[in-house]
Amino acid sequence: MEYSIGTQFKTRGKAPRLCTVTDILKTYNSAGELVKTRYVAQHDFMGQKVNDYDVVAITIAMGLIPIEA
């Protein structure tokens, strides 16, 4: 499943962070086939924006925040 830019999720662990998907990175081989998809996620740390450039879809799926209507 592909997540759109702006999707919010929480990381797992002792101190979960609220992250937002800011970009989608796709890698193709020489035959034009999609090899992997990674997401760029951003969170705040002590007033600064920190980017993680290697987030997989499973990480987002496990921490997905339900949208309240």
Side-chain angles (χ1 to χ4, degrees):
M1 175 175 191
E2 186 168 311
Y3 296 98
S4 61
I5 294 174
T7 302
Q8 290 189 329
F9 65 97
K10 282 194 173 185
T11 58
R12 296 173 54 108
K14 192 173 185 179
R17 298 184 186 105
L18 178 63
C19 297
T20 304
V21 175
T22 58
D23 201 4
I24 302 169
L25 306 175
K26 295 182 179 183
T27 304
Y28 295 90
N29 63 10
S30 60
E33 301 166 338
L34 180 64
V35 176
K36 70 178 179 178
T37 302
R38 299 286 192 230
Y39 296 89
V40 178
Q42 189 177 65
H43 69 274
D44 286 329
F45 180 73
M46 297 182 71
Q48 296 184 2
K49 301 284 185 189
V50 179
N51 290 318
D52 184 0
Y53 292 94
D54 195 25
V55 179
V56 294
I58 297 300
T59 302
I60 298 170
M62 288 190 299
L64 203 57
I65 298 172
I67 298 172
E68 297 178 16

